[in-house]
Amino acid sequence: MLNTLAPGFSRAAVEELSRYKGEPEWMLQLRLQAWETYENTAAPLGRRGDLGTLKAMAAFHFEQLKPFTAVEKDAALPEAVLQSLQASLVNERSGLIVQLDSTVVHTELSEELKQQGVILTDLDTAVREHADLVREYFMTRCVPVGTSKYTALHAAFWTGGFFLYVPKGVEIESPMLAQLWLNQPLSAAFSHSLIIADEQSSVRFVQEYNSTVDGEDPSLLSDVVEIFAKREGRVEFSNLQDLGQNIWNITNKNAVFENDASVTFVLADLGAKVNLATIGAGLQGNGSAGELVGVFFTDHEQRYVINTLSDHVGLSTNAETLVKGVLTDSSRVEFDGMIRVRPKAQQTASFLSAHGLLLSKKARGEFIPGLEIAANEVSASHGATSGQIDEEQLFYLMVRGISRPEAERIIVQGFFEPVLQRIPVENLRIRLRRSIISRMSGAYETEADTWVDAQERWEIEGVDEGAISLDGNPEDDEIKLAEY
């Protein structure tokens, strides 16, 4: 039995993987076509003068990674996973699915939902038992195989992954929880999430990415999330990425909307050494609505590239993107957000806002919003800021006896809070508050109320993007250029 593939990516490895899984011929052909696309597509290198993250990813040594690492499907869950489930982002759940490395090892779904026709399973099983659905939706319209070199590699080597189908009219109140764990060094995992919400259905899907890989040897997580919201369907997708800083992460998340459908993305990125994130909303249906709420915190030498797209195609569509993050140490973040309004997308309303707060002179952030408007009945606006903490706000707190580190922490809390209040999952808000406090103080805080008490005590509710100062002595703010 195949336990692992030899390091490196090749056509032979694609065939061996598909043969091991016992896949139908159509899936093998899809994989092989994706491999051809991968070989014939150049890696994105970014633009001249950017922060060099895409170049760093293009130079990554993929050949040293094992494309597949098997885990016994009925194996007992590791202790780290069990502890994580106890402290998971949801108190009550209607379903659970867990992937270790390349294999989904555990699945739960309530009997009531099974009787209503809800399907929650690993994607390997869906390929065999629900082939018609997978063939129609898998990397066809939402995240096509040829989107980039990295999506083509994902399509060729996808393993494990989550499949959720919610039938027409079914409303699921308690969230579905999915966890993915990387445990093997010098390995690659290609997890794929395919969510289909039929007409007038609703579901909340919460996903967590974690790792227990020790040492400095790198590993790769390439994940794709495809969401299809049919007429009047509602999907709320939350993702917490807290991978170790020896993990490289490439993620593509997109949604396709039919008439009057709505999808909300809530994304929190805290980990990974390099994170290339592409998040989109394809608003084809008339009256559809999309929302993206994003939070990130980077330190050490982490590098993030975040691309968002609100693609308005139908009539009377609505979208809002709000992203906030803090950069410390020598981390680098590039944000590129776009609102695109197609020629027939009249009566569009779209908003984009991105803000970065730099706590270190060595940190670098670029936040670039964009508009492409091809219709005339449109309300669209965008804005972005990045800069250091305003010294006047620090002075205001410090003259009241607050130390500078504590004052910085309070301002960061006020900066994040308006976004955190938009996150509908309470446990995710608590987890993020604790993580932010931990990253700034170097110690884990057990009381989530520490965050709220500080904000109320010093009355900083109005501290948000206004905490960023773009003024000051140019010599003090000068950025030292370094070799990429």
Side-chain angles (χ1 to χ4, degrees):
M1 177 177 289
L2 179 66
N3 292 321
T4 185
L5 286 176
F9 298 88
S10 65
R11 180 184 177 91
V14 172
E15 294 173 335
E16 185 178 4
L17 177 61
S18 183
R19 185 166 53 249
Y20 164 73
K21 290 176 171 290
E23 293 177 340
E25 181 65 20
W26 65 267
M27 178 54 74
L28 171 60
Q29 293 305 316
L30 186 151
R31 288 184 184 272
L32 292 176
Q33 291 171 11
W35 174 253
E36 293 296 326
T37 301
Y38 169 77
E39 286 200 305
N40 295 324
T41 303
L45 298 177
R47 53 181 168 73
R48 184 176 182 180
D50 64 15
L51 301 185
T53 304
L54 288 174
K55 291 181 181 178
M57 178 59 76
F60 183 71
H61 296 291
F62 287 90
E63 69 277 0
Q64 66 184 335
L65 303 179
K66 300 182 290 289
F68 176 81
T69 304
V71 178
E72 291 295 331
K73 195 164 186 178
D74 297 326
L77 295 177
E79 184 62 28
V81 178
L82 294 175
Q83 292 178 0
S84 176
L85 290 175
Q86 292 177 355
S88 67
L89 300 181
V90 295
N91 291 323
E92 297 181 1
R93 55 181 181 256
S94 55
L96 169 66
I97 188 163
V98 179
Q99 177 171 339
L100 299 183
D101 294 318
S102 301
T103 306
V104 172
V105 297
H106 184 81
T107 305
E108 298 176 9
L109 182 63
S110 68
E111 288 298 326
E112 179 182 358
L113 292 180
K114 289 181 180 178
Q115 293 175 5
Q116 293 178 345
V118 175
I119 303 170
L120 177 65
T121 186
D122 59 276
L123 195 55
D124 289 319
T125 299
V127 168
R128 298 190 302 270
E129 299 181 1
H130 309 285
D132 291 343
L133 287 173
V134 177
R135 291 189 73 170
E136 180 179 356
Y137 294 106
F138 181 83
M139 301 195 78
T140 53
R141 294 183 290 132
C142 195
V143 182
V145 171
T147 300
S148 72
K149 187 178 184 70
Y150 302 127
T151 55
L153 182 65
H154 176 96
F157 283 94
W158 72 267
T159 51
F162 314 126
F163 178 83
L164 173 64
Y165 172 74
V166 185
K168 180 179 180 179
V170 175
E171 298 184 1
I172 303 176
E173 296 183 2
S174 298
M176 301 280 184
L177 175 62
Q179 286 202 345
L180 184 146
W181 286 82
L182 298 185
N183 298 314
Q184 298 295 325
L186 293 174
S187 65
F190 297 87
S191 179
H192 194 101
S193 300
L194 180 56
I195 300 172
I196 305 168
D198 215 327
E199 297 180 3
Q200 300 176 333
S201 66
S202 66
V203 64
R204 300 170 68 190
F205 196 87
V206 179
Q207 198 171 63
E208 298 182 55
Y209 294 158
N210 300 281
S211 65
T212 59
V213 181
D214 296 324
E216 297 182 359
D217 290 332
S219 291
L220 172 71
L221 171 61
S222 170
D223 73 284
V224 170
V225 176
E226 297 184 286
I227 298 175
F228 291 86
K230 299 287 188 77
R231 181 177 62 85
E232 298 181 26
R234 301 190 307 277
V235 179
E236 179 185 297
F237 181 92
S238 300
N239 176 261
L240 172 62
Q241 182 269 109
D242 200 6
L243 299 166
Q245 294 197 16
N246 53 357
I247 309 297
W248 295 54
N249 183 36
I250 305 173
T251 179
N252 282 265
K253 299 177 175 69
N254 196 20
V256 173
F257 302 67
E258 291 190 1
N259 290 351
D260 299 314
S262 67
V263 176
T264 297
F265 282 112
V266 178
L267 306 177
D269 290 298
L270 302 175
K273 179 180 179 65
V274 174
N275 184 35
L276 304 186
T278 302
I279 307 101
L283 297 138
Q284 290 94 340
N286 298 337
S288 56
E291 182 180 14
L292 166 63
V293 178
V295 175
F296 67 83
F297 195 116
T298 60
D299 57 14
H300 301 299
E301 296 183 352
Q302 288 179 281
R303 296 186 176 198
Y304 281 14
V305 173
I306 303 172
N307 297 304
T308 69
L309 171 63
S310 299
D311 192 7
H312 298 266
V313 180
L315 291 171
S316 301
T317 58
N318 184 287
E320 183 172 0
T321 298
L322 177 59
V323 176
K324 282 193 176 185
V326 167
L327 298 77
T328 66
D329 300 329
S330 299
S331 60
R332 302 178 179 181
V333 174
E334 302 169 56
F335 173 88
D336 191 347
M338 177 61 67
I339 296 173
R340 180 175 298 148
V341 182
R342 306 281 182 166
K344 296 183 180 180
Q346 302 292 357
Q347 302 170 19
T348 289
S350 197
F351 174 74
L352 166 66
S353 177
H355 305 283
L357 187 58
L358 283 65
L359 303 185
S360 165
K361 297 291 185 180
K362 296 181 180 179
R364 296 183 62 185
E366 292 186 352
F367 294 78
I368 304 174
L371 294 173
E372 293 181 3
I373 309 297
N376 56 6
E377 295 182 42
V378 173
S379 174
S381 60
H382 65 345
T385 58
S386 64
Q388 305 283 336
I389 286 181
D390 191 334
E391 288 294 331
E392 290 186 3
Q393 291 195 359
L394 282 175
F395 177 76
Y396 175 83
L397 295 175
M398 291 170 66
V399 296
R400 284 156 176 79
I402 303 171
S403 65
R404 186 181 181 95
E406 179 69 9
E408 288 184 349
R409 193 182 83 168
I410 293 170
I411 291 175
V412 168
Q413 290 178 200
F415 175 75
F416 272 123
E417 190 61 25
V419 182
L420 297 182
Q421 289 294 334
R422 299 280 296 272
I423 297 176
V425 181
E426 181 180 2
N427 280 15
L428 179 55
R429 291 199 302 269
I430 294 173
R431 173 83 169 270
L432 287 172
R433 287 167 177 158
R434 288 176 174 172
S435 296
I436 291 166
I437 291 173
S438 174
R439 297 281 280 272
M440 295 196 67
S441 64
Y444 182 76
E445 295 284 347
T446 57
E447 294 295 332
D449 289 342
T450 302
W451 179 285
V452 179
D453 288 348
Q455 182 171 339
E456 292 176 348
R457 179 177 175 185
W458 289 294
E459 298 180 351
I460 58 162
E461 290 88 343
V463 179
D464 40 47
E465 59 268 18
I468 300 174
S469 173
L470 301 179
D471 302 322
N473 188 333
E475 294 182 359
D476 293 339
D477 294 334
E478 183 180 359
I479 297 174
K480 306 296 185 182
L481 297 179
E483 291 295 329
Y484 298 135

